[in-house]
Amino acid sequence: MDAADLDYRTRTLSGCIPPILVSRLLELGHEEEVEFQAGRGEWFCAREWARLIGDQGRQARALEVLAPYVMTGWWPAAQVQAELLESWGRAEEAIALVRPYARVGGFKLEFLARLLARHGRLEEAFTSLSAGIEDPNLAGALVDITDGAARDEEVAALLAARIPARHRCDGPWCCRGLAPDTAIGLLASVRERQGRSDEAIALLHTRQITSVNGRDQLADLLARQDRIEELRAYAASEHHGHAAQRLAEVLEERGDVEGAIAVYRQPGDSPAGQCHDAVQLAQFLARHDRGDEAIEVMRTLADSPDGTQDWIVDTLCTLYADHGRARDGLAHLDTLKARRDGEEEWDFFRMRLRLMADGGSLDEAIEQARAHPEGDTSYAARTLSDLLAETGRTEDALAVLEPHAPANRDALAGHLIDLGRVKDTVALLQHREPEQATHVWTGTFSTEPRP
């Protein structure tokens, strides 16, 4: 066992038993197998087994399980051990374990700082994070750990010093270190918790990049502060559509269903925005038991010039299936197929199979799948096996996948577990191709030209 091998296998989920299947083994009562594999270098087995027996009060044994992994110097193992120690009330041991790793900074330092702050050592955590504030994750952690600690002005001063008067990033990778837009967002969070909402709002209006991961910080702030008219005005100008989404969420929370629908129906400035709003509206209508209206919204979108994208059609077909209208979904797919001169690529045919199965024609769906030009591919085998397994035909699902075992390893393993063939499952998952290499990325790129 060594850190490089552990790192490779867990990052790529190759040559090992992945977390979802470890959970499945435990659910089906195969604790002995999980314990055995934990002692043979299977990290995900070791992690879950240590957590399980630790919860049972067998703390010493849990640490023994983790010890060989921690001894390699591999950070994920040390992190899990630290989390367990903390959960057992042994925070000082956790801190001592993590401290050497944190010297390199980054996430490991963030982990240590948060751990220190949770256990009454805020000053040390504050000092370490302040020194690394150019790292946006460390800056975010600094804002978090000082919430309610009467250090807001110190944090605000550190952040304000990193917001230049003129320069603003026009993309997420414009600046190295703590980008001005990120600093503005963090400073706004500090001002809001100080009760200085007007300052926070004014700050956020200066940002170039307004949305991160589908959320808009200004929209969320306005919603929290119940400044609905300001949110409405902002939603009318915010081109991503995330502010409008937040406004609709607020109206929905207040029971104003028609008001939320009106927000989603407002025309967007771009085709992408219009598409986003249509999908959001359809999902909203479906949540409120207005399935036929949801289908009509998605059908209108699917019939638009850009509406034949597979994910749009998939959303429409899912709505048809969920509302007992499989035949209508099939009719829509027939229309698309006719437009393509009778050809239907697998992404669309996959939707057809689901609708046929829902309509009670599973055997016919299987027959058509096998006759499809792409029916002998690994991805087709996965779709077909899922349909078979859902109807209890696990042996048949297994037979479909076996010729495509390497590409469908996890699905095949899942069926083997369901059939009680645990040893075969483990052998399949632990198989590694000879050409696979184990390495840990050093964080640098080669300057050598490619051959």
Side-chain angles (χ1 to χ4, degrees), residues 338-395:
R339 288 181 194 169
R340 298 176 180 225
D341 299 325
E343 294 184 1
E344 190 170 45
E345 60 191 67
W346 184 263
D347 283 339
F348 291 93
F349 187 75
R350 172 183 53 80
M351 304 171 204
R352 181 180 295 279
L353 294 178
R354 169 63 56 196
L355 290 166
M356 291 179 69
D358 288 344
S361 302
L362 176 61
D363 288 335
E364 183 183 351
I366 292 170
E367 204 171 302
Q368 288 192 20
R370 286 174 169 155
H372 191 276
E374 297 175 70
D376 60 351
T377 61
S378 60
Y379 50 84
R382 176 65 180 267
T383 301
L384 190 54
S385 74
D386 287 345
L387 289 173
L388 290 164
E390 286 172 17
T391 58
R393 297 164 62 176
T394 309
E395 291 281 4

Side-chain angles (χ1 to χ4, degrees), residues 51 73 77 107 122 158 197 233 245 258 269 339 384 402 441 443:
R51 288 172 176 169
F107 173 75
L122 179 62
L158 288 168
S197 298
Q245 179 180 340
E258 294 304 323
D269 294 333
R339 288 181 194 169
L384 190 54
E402 281 177 336
W441 184 48

Side-chain angles (χ1 to χ4, degrees), residues 122-168:
L122 179 62
E123 190 62 40
E124 184 180 351
F126 187 95
T127 300
S128 61
L129 291 174
S130 298
I133 198 170
E134 289 298 334
D135 182 324
N137 293 320
L138 298 185
L142 182 63
V143 170
D144 290 343
I145 69 165
T146 52
D147 190 4
R151 307 289 293 267
D152 284 345
E153 283 306 323
E154 293 176 73
V155 176
L158 288 168
L159 293 169
R162 283 151 182 84
I163 304 174
R166 296 181 180 177
H167 175 68
R168 290 287 182 270

Side-chain angles (χ1 to χ4, degrees), residues 9 14-18 21-22 25 30-38 40-42 45 409-410 412-418 420-432:
R9 286 193 290 140
S14 61
C16 70
I17 306 174
L21 293 180
V22 173
L25 286 168
H30 299 292
E31 290 91 350
E32 290 185 2
E33 185 66 28
V34 173
E35 180 182 14
F36 175 70
Q37 296 299 334
R40 299 185 69 245
E42 285 288 347
C45 287
R409 185 192 63 154
D410 290 352
L412 186 58
H415 294 322
L416 287 169
I417 289 175
D418 290 340
R421 295 168 57 182
V422 176
K423 296 297 182 185
D424 290 339
T425 303
V426 171
L428 171 68
L429 293 170
Q430 291 179 336
H431 176 72
R432 301 176 69 178

